[in-house]
Amino acid sequence: MDFVNKLSPAQFLQHQLREVINLLEKQQLEKSLLERTPGEHHELLETVLRKQQESRLQEKLAELHPADIAFILESLPLDQRMLAWNAIEASHHGQVLVEVSDAVRHTLISSMESAELASVAENLDADEIADLADDLPKNAMLKILRSLNNLERKHVNDVLAYEDDQVGAFMDFGTITIRADLTLNAISDYIRNLGKLPKHTDKLFVVDHNNIVHGVLPLSRLLTHAPALTAENVMVTDFVQFEVDQEIAEASHAFERYDLISAPVVDREGRLQGRLCIDSVLDYILEENDEERLIQAGVTEEEDLFSSVWRSVQNRWPWLLINVTTAFISTRIIGFFEDAILQLVALASLMPIIAATGGNTGNQTSILIIRSLALGQITSINVGRLIRKELTLALLNGTFIGLVVGSVAFFLYRDWPLAGVMALAMFLNLMVAVVAGLSIPLLRHKFDKDPAAGASVMLTSITDAMGFFIFLGLASLFLL
């Protein structure tokens, strides 16, 4: 136990994963050995052994947090994953389903009976049930809704009424509201009688009889001010709040900017609807980052690490086909200048340098633009200045890198015309790369498309094709 306590969180997860895998492999080994040893009491031995194996695995998983169990399930092949899933207490299934990735959640839900699915909501809050709604079969979701009381059902429906990118879809209802005329002493007694606070409670919401939020009372002020003062005397009136239909991306920036832990969510009249907490915002940010990395690489959706080969193929085909098409275009460009390459073999070894450097430059620019668009830093007012700045930078980089590669080409081949063509081609391709790196995400954003979708694939294709064309074209014009 001392050894485990000294591990970092990442090491702890890996340690737990190894222990679960060892239990599963031992289970499989014992099963195979038993099958090879038939006897009079074979069935009884098999039953006893299975019970022991299940008990060991259940005890191990019962020690872990649902998020740790989710990590383990995501890291297991499908057959071992289902064995581990069946060993988890049914009362914990809901919490684990909330924690696992969407792709893994689909595999787990598809293995569950309707009655099992209907019971997953027993230990979940309204916002967590809403998170699962899209993945659950309709009949199971209807059973869950019927099992809730009127208030819980209203809360679930309230969350489901909003789009996935709106604050209302991420709010929870663990709010504590107070009146402005209550003394701090009375508020303290009220909280003490509650027994426990909702998670991430760092402030109380001060509302009137119409449930309109007039201020927030941080717990720090409740504890540090005189008990005889009223909430109105010490509440914060200059506070951050969000409307239910506001974009969650905008709210996430506000949480980062103002170091928020929770904030009230209101309707357009200012009536309190719920609250937005740091855990929901962090989940959104991490999910967005994961999706952005995938789509930049040309993967259309989150993929289960151990999903079927056919499903993975379907997920990866679209951009691969685009990449193959553009690669053929590049080869046709090279083929068009085949005579030039045959006459001057040095072109074949130098042209990949032009293409590779252009691709790197374009990706630098596009990643900067995609990030700035995500943060809301690029507007119609400053986009012109940003474009001018990037083009000026491209001129300087193109000139400097062009001179460097030209000098290296002369050192290798002692040919001034070849060195000049190399320098000019590098300069021109870097300009093309920056223009592509700017235009692809900006144009996609202008037409309400994801700026990051396939950006890396498209950029590489453009810079490769144009790099070959520019370099070989200049060589044909000036050297042959």
Side-chain angles (χ1 to χ4, degrees):
M1 184 60 71
D2 291 338
F3 163 74
V4 174
N5 291 335
K6 293 177 181 178
L7 298 177
S8 69
Q11 292 171 331
F12 173 80
L13 275 178
Q14 292 299 324
H15 175 73
Q16 301 301 329
L17 174 60
R18 282 194 297 272
E19 289 203 344
V20 170
I21 291 175
N22 289 338
L23 285 173
L24 289 168
E25 290 178 345
K26 185 178 180 182
Q27 179 177 334
Q28 184 60 37
L29 177 62
E30 290 174 347
K31 182 180 178 181
S32 62
L33 289 174
L34 186 62
E35 289 173 349
R36 297 174 191 172
T37 317
E40 184 179 350
H41 304 292
H42 178 79
E43 291 186 4
L44 177 61
L45 284 173
E46 185 178 5
T47 302
V48 171
L49 183 60
R50 188 179 71 252
K51 292 292 184 184
Q52 289 177 341
Q53 293 165 344
E54 290 176 353
S55 177
R56 289 197 295 263
L57 191 56
Q58 286 171 353
E59 289 175 3
K60 181 61 189 174
L61 293 172
E63 301 171 358
L64 302 177
H65 188 277
D68 296 338
I69 297 175
F71 170 81
I72 290 172
L73 292 175
E74 291 168 358
S75 305
L76 293 175
L78 288 175
D79 54 341
Q80 292 186 336
R81 180 187 298 162
M82 298 317 302
L83 290 173
W85 173 248
N86 292 329
I88 300 169
E89 289 186 31
S91 60
H92 294 162
H93 278 172
Q95 289 292 346
V96 176
L97 285 175
V98 170
E99 296 290 346
V100 294
S101 65
D102 291 344
V104 172
R105 187 184 300 151
H106 291 153
T107 65
L108 298 178
I109 287 177
S110 64
S111 70
M112 299 174 70
E113 300 291 337
S114 181
E116 292 180 277
L117 289 171
S119 67
V120 299
E122 291 179 0
N123 299 304
L124 297 181
D125 296 330
D127 57 311
E128 294 172 326
I129 296 173
D131 285 342
L132 298 178
D134 289 340
D135 300 315
L136 294 173
K138 287 186 178 179
N139 60 340
M141 192 62 199
L142 288 173
K143 287 182 180 179
I144 289 174
L145 289 174
R146 282 196 291 267
S147 70
L148 304 176
N149 61 43
N150 291 336
L151 181 60
E152 291 171 334
R153 192 179 305 114
K154 178 183 181 302
H155 286 166
V156 173
N157 288 326
D158 285 346
V159 174
L160 292 175
Y162 299 101
E163 299 292 334
D164 291 341
D165 60 350
Q166 292 181 322
V167 167
F170 291 83
M171 67 180 175
D172 71 44
F173 303 94
T175 59
I176 297 180
T177 59
I178 55 174
R179 296 286 187 260
D181 57 352
L182 285 175
T183 65
L184 301 189
N185 188 49
I187 295 170
S188 298
D189 290 339
Y190 170 64
I191 292 176
R192 199 172 295 112
N193 290 331
L194 287 177
K196 71 172 187 175
L197 294 173
K199 60 182 181 179
H200 306 301
T201 298
D202 65 319
K203 58 178 71 76
L204 314 178
F205 303 142
V206 184
V207 299
D208 62 17
H209 62 281
N210 291 319
N211 213 34
I212 294 176
V213 184
H214 291 282
V216 297
L217 178 61
L219 293 183
S220 58
R221 293 197 176 197
L222 175 65
L223 296 173
T224 57
H225 285 70
L229 294 174
T230 64
E232 187 174 18
N233 297 139
V234 297
M235 70 181 184
V236 177
T237 55
D238 181 19
F239 60 96
V240 178
Q241 64 180 12
F242 305 103
E243 292 189 2
V244 286
D245 56 357
Q246 196 169 343
E247 288 190 5
I248 185 64
E250 184 180 344
S252 68
H253 299 326
F255 262 74
E256 186 272 333
R257 190 178 305 118
Y258 302 116
D259 295 327
L260 299 175
I261 296 175
S262 68
V265 178
V266 300
D267 60 18
R268 293 188 178 181
E269 285 72 40
R271 290 189 295 267
L272 183 65
Q273 302 297 306
R275 64 173 185 159
L276 186 61
C277 293
I278 185 64
D279 59 337
S280 297
V281 173
L282 185 58
D283 287 343
Y284 163 77
I285 292 172
L286 292 175
E287 186 175 344
E288 284 295 299
N289 286 341
D290 288 343
E291 287 182 2
E292 185 172 308
R293 284 196 293 268
L294 288 172
I295 60 180
Q296 279 184 337
V299 179
T300 56
E301 61 182 34
E302 183 181 11
E303 186 178 304
D304 182 356
L305 187 62
F306 296 101
S307 62
S308 68
V309 173
W310 177 241
R311 183 175 180 83
S312 296
V313 163
Q314 289 177 304
N315 192 28
R316 303 185 196 187
W317 266 3
W319 284 109
L320 284 176
L321 290 173
I322 293 173
N323 207 3
V324 167
T325 303
T326 56
F328 271 112
I329 294 173
S330 296
T331 60
R332 290 302 84 209
I333 292 173
I334 295 173
F336 184 74
F337 294 100
E338 187 174 345
D339 291 340
I341 296 174
L342 290 174
Q343 292 182 57
L344 190 58
V345 179
L347 299 178
S349 61
L350 293 175
M351 63 185 182
I353 300 173
I354 305 294
T357 309
N360 185 41
T361 301
N363 277 317
Q364 287 178 342
T365 303
S366 69
I367 289 171
L368 175 67
I369 299 301
I370 290 167
R371 177 182 178 276
S372 301
L373 287 170
L375 295 174
Q377 295 174 337
I378 298 179
T379 66
S380 58
I381 298 173
N382 63 18
V383 67
R385 297 184 66 179
L386 174 64
I387 292 173
R388 287 194 296 273
K389 177 253 183 181
E390 287 297 319
L391 290 177
T392 303
L393 184 62
L395 284 169
L396 294 174
N397 285 341
T399 302
F400 174 70
I401 300 299
L403 290 173
V404 170
V405 297
S407 300
V408 173
F410 177 76
F411 176 77
L412 293 173
Y413 297 100
R414 302 297 175 178
D415 188 330
W416 280 114
L418 177 62
V421 165
M422 187 75 176
L424 181 58
M426 180 64 76
F427 172 81
L428 293 175
N429 199 38
L430 290 192
M431 294 298 297
V432 169
V434 170
V435 170
L438 284 167
S439 59
I440 290 173
L442 287 176
L443 287 173
R444 289 186 65 83
H445 179 71
K446 180 178 177 63
F447 293 104
D448 295 325
K449 304 292 183 181
D450 189 337
S456 179
V457 176
M458 288 187 283
L459 265 171
T460 303
S461 302
I462 292 171
T463 53
D464 282 358
M466 290 302 298
F468 296 147
F469 179 77
I470 291 170
F471 181 56
L472 295 176
L474 290 173
S476 298
L477 186 63
F478 294 111
L479 301 181
L480 303 177

